[in-house]
Amino acid sequence: MEEIKSVSELTSYIMELIEDDPYLTNVWVYGEVSNYKVRNSHIFFSLKDDKAKLDCVIFGGKSRGIKLIEGNVVAARGDVKVYPPHGTYRMICEEVRYIGREGLYSIRYKRVLEKMMKEGWLSRPKKKLPEYPQKIGVITSRDSAAFQDILRTIKERYPFVEIYLFHTQVQGEEAKKNLVEAIEKSKEYDLDLVILARGGGSQEDLWVFNEEEVVEALVKLKHPVITGVGHEVDRVLVDFIADASAHTPTAAAEMAVPNIREVYERFKSTFEEVRGKLSEKFENFERKLENVEAILSAQCEILLLKLKEYENKLKTIRARMQITMFRKVKEFSQKMDNVGRILENLNPKKPLNKGFAMIFKNGRLITSSSLLKKGDRVCIVMRDGDREAVIE
C-alpha cells in the first residue's frame, strides 16, 4: 500500500516550500485594504486587487502608530508564512506605507510598461496610415462627445468615408472587458484603419487605456491604429503602441482623413503643373516638327532635282538605244536579204526550172556517167515531177 501522509506532515512540507522561497521573503506587496480589524494590539487585514486577496497581520510590536483605513491603497513589506491550524497562508508584515490611488496607478503603469518593453511591443515597426481611407472603424462609446466630434470632423474634412462604430464602455468596471471585445470585433471587418478614442478625464477615468489586456489586444490588431484619448496633457499606454497618436479625438479624426479642400488644391496644383509641362513638351514637339518639315522640304527639292536629272538621262539613254536598235535591225535585215539570195542560189532545184534534170541512183545524185551501168534503175527528177528509168 502507498505511503499515506498526515495533514501535519503535508502542511509542514508546504511550510518549508513557502518559507524557504526567497521570492516570498522580505517582499513588498501593494493592494487595497479590506477586512481591517484590531485584536489584542494585533492588526489583521487583507490586501486585494481585482483578481486576488492576500491575508495580512501586523503583530503588536510592529503595529504601534499604524492605522489603516478600508479602501486605502498601501504597500506592505514582510514574509509569507503558513498558519498550520487553519491550513492557510498569510503575510507577516514588518512595514506598511500608504501609497494612495495615484501611487497604485504609477506602480501598475510601470509594470505594464515593463512588459511592453520586454515583449518588444514598443520597438515593432509602425504600420503606414492610408492616404485616402474608405472604411474607418471607431472604437468608443456611442453616447460620447468623442464619437460625435469624430463624425463631425470626418464629415467636414472627407465625407466619402464609411464609419463603423464598435461601441464600448470607456470607464467603469466593465470597460476593460468591453474594450477588448470591441477591439476583437473590429478584426472581423475589412477596415483601412481604426480610431480608438475617448474624451478627457481623470487618471482613474482613463485608466482602462493602460490595462495590459487592452494594450495586448491592440498590439494584435492587423489594421493601422490611431489613438485619441483624453486631452493634450493626457498620455496613456495605448498611445505608445498605436501607429499614430493624437491628443484628442478630434485631432485623431483629422489625422485619419485628408482635408478635401487641401486635396482639391493639391490636385489642382498638380494638374496645372502637369498641364504646363505637357504644354511645354507640345511646343518643343511643334518646333521639332517645323524643323523636320523644313529639312524634309529642302530634301524634297533636292530629290526632285535629282529625279529630273535622272529623267533627262533616261530619255537620252532611251533615244540612243532606239537609234542603235533601228540601225542594228536594218543591218540584220540587209544580212538576211543577202543570206536569202545566197540560199536561193544554192537551191539544187533551181536548174530544173531551166529544163535540166537530176538523176539519183539508190538516193544518190549521179554526177558522172561512169557511175552507171546497163540495167541500173534510176530516178530522174525534173521541174514538174519524177520518173523511173532503166539504163540500156
Side-chain angles (χ1 to χ4, degrees):
M1 183 174 179
E2 294 182 0
E3 181 182 358
I4 301 177
K5 294 181 174 60
S6 67
V7 173
S8 300
E9 290 174 331
L10 189 59
T11 302
S12 296
Y13 179 74
I14 293 173
M15 286 180 61
E16 291 178 5
L17 288 178
I18 292 178
E19 296 179 4
D20 290 343
D21 188 342
Y23 187 79
L24 302 176
T25 302
N26 198 33
V27 59
W28 281 97
V29 179
Y30 69 88
E32 182 179 319
V33 175
S34 66
N35 302 320
Y36 173 72
K37 296 176 183 178
V38 179
R39 294 177 184 170
N40 299 324
S41 74
H42 305 313
I43 299 175
F44 296 89
F45 65 99
S46 297
L47 292 178
K48 68 176 185 177
D49 56 23
D50 57 348
K51 294 181 179 179
K53 182 183 74 169
L54 174 65
D55 291 333
C56 303
V57 60
I58 305 175
F59 290 121
K62 303 289 184 179
S63 64
R64 293 176 183 174
I66 296 177
K67 185 177 182 179
L68 302 179
I69 300 175
E70 289 277 340
N72 277 358
V73 178
V74 300
R77 179 180 62 82
D79 303 332
V80 177
K81 302 285 187 179
V82 174
Y83 185 57
H86 290 171
T88 59
Y89 68 89
R90 61 188 178 183
M91 184 173 180
I92 311 302
C93 300
E94 299 290 331
E95 181 181 0
V96 176
R97 295 179 184 176
Y98 173 77
I99 60 175
R101 289 287 176 184
E102 296 297 323
L104 174 61
Y105 287 138
S106 178
I107 293 171
R108 293 171 63 186
Y109 188 97
K110 181 180 178 182
R111 177 176 58 80
V112 178
L113 183 60
E114 287 175 349
K115 179 173 181 179
M116 292 170 63
M117 297 175 64
K118 180 180 178 182
E119 296 293 335
W121 296 345
L122 298 178
S123 58
R124 66 193 184 99
K126 302 291 186 181
K127 293 185 283 292
K128 185 179 179 181
L129 301 181
E131 190 170 4
Y132 303 105
Q134 296 179 348
K135 297 179 181 180
I136 295 178
V138 178
I139 301 176
T140 191
S141 171
R142 69 167 69 94
D143 303 318
S144 65
F147 182 52
Q148 296 305 319
D149 289 343
I150 290 172
L151 287 179
R152 185 186 66 256
T153 301
I154 291 179
K155 183 178 180 180
E156 291 175 353
R157 288 175 61 86
Y158 198 70
F160 314 110
V161 175
E162 295 180 34
I163 304 295
Y164 294 76
L165 172 64
F166 299 94
H167 170 67
T168 177
Q169 294 184 30
V170 289
Q171 71 181 73
E173 294 182 359
E174 297 296 320
K176 179 170 66 174
K177 178 183 176 183
N178 280 181
L179 200 49
V180 171
E181 289 175 351
I183 293 171
E184 292 297 323
K185 185 67 176 178
S186 70
K187 294 180 181 179
E188 302 174 9
Y189 291 78
D190 183 21
L191 304 173
D192 295 311
L193 63 89
V194 169
I195 297 175
L196 176 61
R198 180 223 138 102
S202 65
Q203 185 181 32
E204 185 174 0
D205 293 337
L206 302 178
W207 182 253
V208 67
F209 296 96
N210 294 316
E211 292 285 2
E212 180 180 330
E213 294 86 344
V214 175
V215 171
E216 186 169 1
L218 207 62
V219 167
K220 296 178 180 179
L221 193 61
K222 64 180 180 180
H223 310 302
V225 177
I226 300 175
T227 54
V229 178
H231 295 308
E232 293 188 6
V233 295
D234 299 318
R235 189 69 169 169
V236 288
L237 290 177
V238 293
D239 291 336
F240 294 109
I241 60 167
D243 299 293
S245 62
H247 296 302
T248 64
T250 299
E254 292 175 350
M255 189 178 294
V257 295
N259 188 324
I260 189 64
R261 297 180 182 85
E262 294 176 359
V263 173
Y264 171 76
E265 291 298 328
R266 187 161 64 247
F267 274 101
K268 180 180 178 182
S269 175
T270 302
F271 174 77
E272 293 297 334
E273 182 181 354
V274 171
R275 186 173 68 174
K277 289 183 179 180
L278 287 177
S279 178
E280 183 180 351
K281 287 185 179 294
F282 279 128
E283 290 177 0
N284 292 336
F285 184 68
E286 286 180 353
R287 285 195 293 271
K288 289 181 179 179
L289 282 179
E290 291 174 356
N291 293 335
V292 170
E293 184 179 1
I295 293 172
L296 288 177
S297 178
Q299 292 294 330
C300 284
E301 291 181 5
I302 295 173
L303 182 60
L304 288 173
L305 291 175
K306 290 286 185 184
L307 289 175
K308 190 67 176 178
E309 182 180 345
Y310 291 146
E311 184 181 3
N312 293 334
K313 287 183 179 180
L314 286 174
K315 287 180 179 179
T316 301
I317 292 172
R318 185 173 63 181
R320 290 176 181 175
M321 288 180 66
Q322 287 178 344
I323 294 172
T324 302
M325 186 170 60
F326 289 151
R327 187 178 69 249
K328 292 293 185 182
V329 170
K330 185 176 181 180
E331 291 176 356
F332 183 74
S333 179
Q334 291 174 352
K335 288 181 180 181
M336 291 299 293
D337 291 341
N338 293 334
V339 170
R341 285 192 296 272
I342 293 171
L343 291 175
E344 182 65 25
N345 293 330
L346 293 176
N347 187 355
K349 291 184 177 183
K350 187 175 181 181
L352 299 180
N353 295 326
K354 296 179 179 181
F356 294 97
M358 292 186 291
I359 299 173
F360 291 89
K361 176 186 175 182
N362 297 328
R364 180 180 177 187
L365 179 65
I366 301 301
T367 58
S368 175
S369 60
S370 60
L371 297 175
L372 299 173
K373 61 182 185 292
K374 187 179 179 178
D376 287 342
R377 295 184 69 86
V378 296
C379 178
I380 301 172
V381 179
M382 293 171 286
R383 179 177 64 80
D384 57 354
D386 300 340
R387 290 288 187 270
E388 296 286 337
V390 177
I391 301 299
E392 294 294 336

